[in-house]
Amino acid sequence: MSDGGEGASFSGFFKSAALRLRRELEGVSASPGIGIGPAYVVDRRRVHVPRTKIEREAVEPEIQRFHEALRSCRQQLEQIKARLPHGEHRQILKAQQMMLRDPDLILRTENLIREELANAEWALTATTDQIIATLESADDKYFRERGSDIAFLTENVLQALLGDHPDELDPPAGAVVVAHDLSPADTARLHRCHVVGIVTGVGGRTSHSAIMARSLQIPAVVGIEDLLNGIDSGDLVVVDGVHGHIIIHPEPDEVAHHAAQRDRYNAFEQKVRKEHAFPAISIDGLHVTVRANLAITEELDLALRYGAEGVGLYRSEYMFMNRPALPTEEEHYRMAKLVLRRCAPYPVVFRTFDLGSDKSSELLDFEEETNPAMGMRSLRLALKERPMFLEQLRGFLRAGVHGPLAVMLPLVGSIDELEAGLAALEEAREQLASAGMAHAEDIAIGIMVETPAAAMIADILARRVDFISIGTNDLIQYTLAIDRENEAVAYLYQPLHPAILRLIKLVADAGLSNKVPVSLCGEMAADPRYTWVLIGLGITELSMHPSAIPVIKNIIRASSSEEMKALAERALQAQSGKQAEELVFAAMHARFPEHLLHGGGQGVGGGDPSA
């Protein structure tokens, strides 16, 4: 965490700032906190890639040159990684090193060199352009942001091939780094520079550079359009990673205001993180289990550090991206075994692959759909691609001997779909038994409730499962008939709409009457404004982005179950989402002003848009 002290660093800025117009720009909060300092503008221009025809006898030397460039980049990442403290940021750089060993990328590039008699620079660019295009065509933000990882790695390898090594970032202490984009390696280098903030023109909360900024506790705002137009190195910048905006050339009173907010934020953050290991038990004894949502194993250290009581949602579909072939049973087994062992004695809930036209993989032949959110996806796709589904289930069952494993089926909409999913699980179990392979005989099996249909029959579904998890992101989308990625209808996205509150209560009551625990793993779980309402409605387990955990646990420890239930009952009586918001937000702001300094509901770690 950086204090961004304004002191002497600011003394020369106010006079020059008066000559420049104040600008306030909106973006996305990628890493919470507030930083104030002079801008350090980074200009990373794309490497020009020439296409050169080579002779047939030069093919193997050209391939060797390509491999040497890959090796050089891996070594460079290793040097950066060695200078970092232990944590998930090191794991992200390790993942980048693994990308540079990716058989698909290497084989495709080698084939282009051989078949097109082309130089390595062009062959690599053509290969990665195809991979990036596939990723960027996905509706899921997490997939799209993996494209930037590939692009940065491509640039690094091209620079090695061309003998063009740009200077390392070397901003002065107390600076705010401003760039169109930053690679995870760039972000890692900033750890030793003591910068107070990061601002980029592109990116989102799930980009690896954003994850690294959170891990290194550097305030960051990303996705700011037209960022580099009208900002120069030395311009004073306020980075508000809490609310997701920046101010260029702030007024003196704004600097004082944000400096005070920064100090309050840092003091509060230190307090709640010191208490991260304490359980979330209300003052009258209600224990709420708080777990983490994970998409990659690199986030596991962060989850445990922030006090997660296991993993409430592990998104297994990300194993299907950037690969030359489908993941094998053995790979599913090794991944699940790793997570289970590191989380022990806490449980881990693995969601079976939630793929579809909205989260596509080039390994599957997806037909173009008019409305992919309502098409062949999730459990529907798994049942259609049964061999692939059974492979994953066998891997999970084998890993279940290493820890308390739970399997969750996504987008279950009927008892027939649930029965089909359970039958597939039993078939996988029988296959392992026939092969004499060790596997878990008794694992927890649950479902995600993401549609109004599933919520309405939750009492029926609850009789056949061990747990239920509510995915509020899709539940809100399907119930209110809005596309949550469409900015034109974003104003209609109302988590406290009466229909949503009633459906959550319906599912919670179904779980209670059937003695089945009900968790909630959507974006609402990570927003401190909703904590009382959710628990008051009967939710006893919450799962969220790891860095949101400390604030949510702190709120629960400071509350009674009775006051949470009372607020939920008042919200249920509201006639509109707006009316419910007004009363809920007013109550939470009055009771927890420090927790909700974050205003937009980001919490210490922010929401989780991809649950």
Side-chain angles (χ1 to χ4, degrees):
M1 186 186 312
S2 219
D3 64 9
E6 70 277 15
S9 303
F10 300 158
S11 60
F13 291 109
F14 292 128
K15 185 175 181 181
S16 61
L19 303 176
R20 303 285 299 275
L21 290 176
R22 174 192 181 279
R23 295 172 66 209
E24 185 168 350
L25 303 175
E26 296 294 326
V28 175
S29 172
S31 179
I34 296 171
I36 308 170
Y40 176 85
V41 179
V42 178
D43 185 7
R44 286 277 201 255
R45 299 187 187 277
R46 183 174 176 85
V47 176
H48 174 65
V49 181
R51 175 170 183 172
T52 306
K53 189 172 180 64
I54 62 174
E55 299 299 325
R56 179 70 61 184
E57 57 269 22
V59 165
E60 293 308 317
E62 190 70 5
I63 290 174
Q64 182 60 34
R65 190 169 73 90
F66 168 56
H67 281 275
E68 288 172 358
L70 291 173
R71 185 162 47 250
S72 172
C73 290
R74 289 196 300 268
Q75 291 172 349
Q76 184 185 39
L77 287 171
E78 185 63 34
Q79 291 169 0
I80 297 169
K81 192 173 69 174
R83 295 199 294 262
L84 290 173
H86 287 284
E88 62 285 347
H89 34 268
R90 287 172 64 102
Q91 295 299 320
I92 288 174
L93 291 181
K94 182 178 179 182
Q96 297 253 302
Q97 289 174 307
M98 291 175 65
M99 286 185 195
L100 292 170
R101 298 182 186 275
D102 180 63
D104 183 42
L105 183 148
I106 294 171
L107 186 60
R108 285 200 213 180
T109 303
E110 288 179 347
N111 287 342
L112 280 176
I113 293 172
R114 289 192 178 97
E115 294 167 6
E116 301 289 334
L117 295 179
N119 57 317
E121 293 88 343
W122 179 87
L124 172 64
T125 303
T127 296
T128 54
D129 280 351
Q130 288 182 341
I131 296 173
I132 292 168
T134 300
L135 290 169
E136 291 183 343
S137 66
D139 286 344
D140 188 278
K141 288 182 180 178
Y142 190 90
F143 286 170
R144 294 198 301 268
E145 286 167 0
R146 297 290 70 76
S148 66
D149 290 340
I150 302 295
F152 277 121
L153 288 173
T154 302
E155 294 291 307
N156 289 343
V157 178
L158 289 173
Q159 287 160 355
L161 285 166
L162 296 167
D164 177 19
H165 296 282
D167 296 334
E168 282 194 8
L169 297 183
D170 189 25
V176 171
V177 175
V178 179
H180 176 67
D181 201 2
L182 291 172
S183 71
D186 285 334
T187 309
R189 291 187 183 104
L190 299 179
H191 170 69
R192 59 184 172 81
C193 298
H194 305 290
V195 300
V196 299
I198 295 171
V199 185
T200 66
V202 298
R205 279 191 51 79
T206 54
S207 66
H208 275 159
S209 54
I211 293 170
M212 293 195 71
R214 287 195 293 275
S215 172
L216 297 170
Q217 298 180 41
I218 303 173
V221 178
V222 302
I224 298 179
E225 294 183 8
D226 198 29
L227 172 64
L228 298 181
N229 181 23
I231 184 168
D232 299 314
S233 289
D235 290 347
L236 185 60
V237 180
V238 171
V239 181
D240 188 342
V242 172
H243 300 97
H245 68 260
I246 69 168
I247 305 173
I248 304 168
H249 301 302
E251 300 294 336
D253 60 338
E254 288 182 306
V255 175
H257 170 73
H258 282 87
Q261 277 206 325
R262 177 203 62 214
D263 295 342
R264 287 171 56 205
Y265 180 90
N266 289 349
F268 174 70
E269 187 181 52
Q270 288 175 349
K271 174 182 180 294
V272 297
R273 284 184 173 165
K274 282 179 183 176
E275 302 170 352
H276 73 276
F278 298 166
I281 301 177
S282 70
I283 57 179
D284 53 354
L286 174 66
H287 182 202
V288 179
T289 303
V290 182
R291 297 194 173 113
N293 293 345
L294 301 182
I296 51 176
T297 56
E298 291 92 334
E299 294 178 315
L300 187 53
D301 288 341
L302 186 66
L304 297 176
R305 192 194 328 153
Y306 284 163
E309 299 172 85
V311 177
L313 169 62
Y314 194 98
R315 304 181 184 91
S316 67
E317 57 268 18
Y318 295 113
M319 287 191 68
F320 291 78
M321 302 303 296
N322 297 330
R323 302 174 54 89
L326 291 168
T328 64
E329 174 187 323
E330 187 66 22
E331 287 175 297
H332 287 300
Y333 162 70
R334 287 200 304 265
M335 179 276 291
K337 174 184 172 182
L338 169 69
V339 178
L340 284 165
R341 283 189 164 181
R342 288 173 69 182
C343 277
Y346 296 120
V348 179
V349 178
F350 292 96
R351 180 174 70 187
T352 59
F353 59 83
D354 188 13
L355 290 168
S357 295
D358 63 330
K359 296 180 191 172
S360 61
S361 167
E362 60 183 7
L363 303 175
L364 296 173
D365 185 19
F366 290 104
E367 294 183 10
E368 188 170 337
E369 296 178 296
T370 303
N371 193 342
M374 306 246 184
M376 184 55 66
R377 55 167 293 200
S378 304
L379 181 60
R380 302 167 185 175
L381 178 68
L383 294 172
K384 176 175 177 283
E385 302 286 346
R386 197 174 186 85
M388 186 170 78
F389 190 31
L390 291 172
E391 194 130 18
Q392 181 180 61
L393 293 174
R394 290 195 301 270
F396 286 168
L397 287 167
R398 288 172 54 197
V401 301
H402 298 285
L405 174 141
V407 171
M408 182 162 64
L409 303 174
L411 203 68
V412 172
S414 68
I415 194 69
D416 294 332
E417 284 182 324
L418 174 57
E419 295 288 358
L422 294 176
L425 192 62
E426 187 56 36
E427 182 179 349
R429 200 192 310 269
E430 290 172 357
Q431 290 173 341
L432 291 172
S434 297
M437 300 187 74
H439 62 281
E441 291 289 348
D442 185 24
I443 65 168
I445 302 169
I447 59 169
M448 280 194 82
V449 169
E450 302 169 84
T451 66
M456 293 297 292
I457 60 167
D459 58 329
I460 299 172
L461 298 172
R463 296 170 199 149
R464 299 286 288 115
V465 296
D466 300 304
F467 66 93
I468 292 173
S469 184
I470 303 174
T472 52
N473 297 353
D474 269 340
L475 182 62
I476 294 169
Q477 173 174 249
Y478 290 131
T479 303
L480 304 184
I482 60 166
D483 179 357
R484 56 191 171 107
E485 299 293 336
N486 187 338
E487 293 183 5
V489 294
Y491 70 99
L492 294 172
Y493 192 83
Q494 297 180 334
L496 296 182
H497 189 287
I500 303 303
L501 295 180
R502 293 179 187 188
L503 289 175
I504 293 173
K505 182 75 163 64
L506 191 66
V507 178
D509 288 348
L512 181 63
S513 62
N514 287 279
K515 297 181 180 179
V516 170
V518 176
S519 67
L520 189 140
C521 62
E523 189 172 354
M524 287 181 74
D527 193 323
R529 298 174 301 180
Y530 302 134
T531 302
W532 273 21
V533 168
L534 295 176
I535 296 172
L537 290 173
I539 302 299
T540 56
E541 298 182 9
L542 297 170
S543 189
M544 63 199 69
H545 186 277
S547 53
I549 291 172
V551 161
I552 301 301
K553 292 176 75 173
N554 187 270
I555 284 177
I556 295 168
R557 287 196 297 269
S559 310
S560 73
S561 60
E562 288 305 313
E563 60 188 340
M564 291 188 275
K565 188 180 296 183
L567 182 62
E569 288 174 354
R570 288 175 61 205
L572 280 170
Q573 300 305 312
Q575 296 184 27
S576 69
K578 183 178 180 181
Q579 188 180 82
E581 278 187 4
E582 288 174 354
L583 72 91
V584 170
F585 292 178
M588 297 304 288
H589 275 277
R591 181 68 186 277
F592 301 103
E594 295 300 323
H595 301 67
L596 302 181
L597 168 68
H598 315 33
Q602 291 295 328
V604 164
D608 189 3
S610 54

